[in-house]
Amino acid sequence: MAAPLPFSPPGTGAISAWARERGCRFSPHPDAAWFEAWEPFDTMVAPEAYFNALSFTTAGASVTLAEPWLAPIGGEPLGRAILAYLQHPAFVRRAAARGGEHFNTRVAFLDRPPPPRVAVGDRVWDEHMATFAASPSEAAAAFPVAARRVLAECGYAGHLEIRPGGAVLHHSRIVPEPAALDVLVALLPRLVTAFVSR
């Protein structure tokens, strides 16, 4: 008797085809340890697993996109999302920001106290984003003016976590579907450039 196929989220075939058409490296069942090294998150819950990872470079950054599965394997999650992991040496600060309340927002901190909420001193940003960092100046440096502007222009809502060496982005309107991935991939070069060009 053949072994059962591993669980794959609905739409895996379409994402695989999308990645192939664009020359991205693709893995339907990526190495969980690579993603877990980015955890714990400051504003997001850690998922049960990651699926459908695809990797490429843009604006000098290494990018990995993957679907976090926030349910038991084979179960139905409350929502579906894509996380974008950006790696670039220009990311040297640590801060997190959240626009809106989402199904993957972290509300419990059992491992450590939550990071303090701060304001960066930008009225538009501070009215729309909850920002968490060791200090207001650390937050303002982690989220430079150019990056705040790009995010405001695209009507960003979701989670964004900056740490030395990289960033993790959850855009609430990006779901694991080819059309949404096109939107995200079009945004990333502008966003990376805004973060790393000081």
Side-chain angles (χ1 to χ4, degrees):
M1 183 173 176
L5 292 174
F7 172 77
S8 293
T12 292
I15 293 174
S16 174
W18 184 93
R20 189 170 51 253
E21 289 168 6
R22 286 154 185 81
C24 300
R25 293 183 305 279
F26 176 77
S27 175
H29 302 98
D31 178 13
W34 186 89
F35 296 97
E36 290 165 358
W38 293 77
E39 300 170 6
F41 298 119
D42 290 332
T43 60
M44 295 181 288
V45 295
E48 182 79 15
Y50 293 89
F51 293 103
N52 298 331
L54 48 98
S55 300
F56 56 93
T57 59
T58 188
S62 297
V63 178
T64 298
L65 308 181
E67 179 175 2
W69 196 255
L70 293 164
I73 302 302
E76 188 67 29
L78 290 175
R80 294 181 68 190
I82 291 289
L83 295 184
Y85 294 82
L86 314 175
Q87 293 179 282
H88 193 287
F91 290 107
V92 296
R93 305 291 183 159
R94 183 168 186 112
R98 183 189 74 242
E101 298 288 343
H102 309 283
F103 68 91
N104 58 342
T105 296
R106 183 175 183 180
V107 294
F109 290 81
L110 302 178
D111 56 330
R112 59 193 163 86
R117 183 169 177 174
V118 299
V120 301
D122 175 329
R123 184 184 57 80
V124 173
W125 177 270
D126 290 334
E127 286 178 1
H128 294 90
M129 301 294 289
T131 307
F132 306 89
S135 68
S137 60
E138 180 74 3
F143 299 108
V145 172
R148 286 182 249 150
R149 187 175 303 121
V150 169
L151 291 165
E153 288 170 0
C154 75
Y156 175 77
H159 302 83
L160 181 55
E161 303 206 3
I162 309 298
R163 65 268 319 268
V168 184
L169 171 81
H170 157 242
H171 193 314
S172 65
R173 292 198 305 272
I174 306 301
V175 294
E177 297 174 357
L181 292 174
D182 285 336
V183 172
L184 179 59
V185 169
L187 169 65
L188 288 177
R190 289 182 62 215
L191 189 58
V192 169
T193 299
F195 269 108
V196 306
S197 301
R198 305 286 176 145

